[in-house]
Amino acid sequence: MIFATCDTHGGFQRFSQEHFPQQRQMNRDDYMIILGDFGGVWNGSSKERK
C-alpha cells in the first residue's frame, strides 16, 4: 500500500492507531509519503530560526 499525507508540522499524533488504524497492517513493502513540510527535524534553535 501507499499512504500519502500533507504537512505534518511535527504533529505525529496523526499517526497513532486511533487516527491511522491502517498502520497495524503496514510492513516493509508499504510506503508513507509525506507531501510538504515534514517538520520533524527542526529543534527550534536560534540557528534554525535564521
Side-chain angles (χ1 to χ4, degrees):
M1 281 187 251
I2 298 173
F3 294 93
T5 184
C6 57
D7 295 352
T8 62
H9 299 289
F12 301 114
Q13 65 275 7
R14 74 180 65 212
F15 300 117
S16 70
Q17 289 186 7
E18 176 185 355
H19 300 290
F20 182 50
Q22 297 85 349
Q23 69 164 306
R24 289 183 216 147
Q25 300 157 359
M26 292 179 77
N27 61 44
R28 291 182 181 264
D29 295 326
D30 299 316
Y31 294 88
M32 168 61 72
I33 301 171
I34 300 173
L35 307 167
D37 178 16
F38 173 64
V41 298
W42 317 125
N43 64 10
S45 68
S46 59
K47 180 180 178 181
E48 175 190 295
R49 286 190 290 261
K50 288 181 183 180

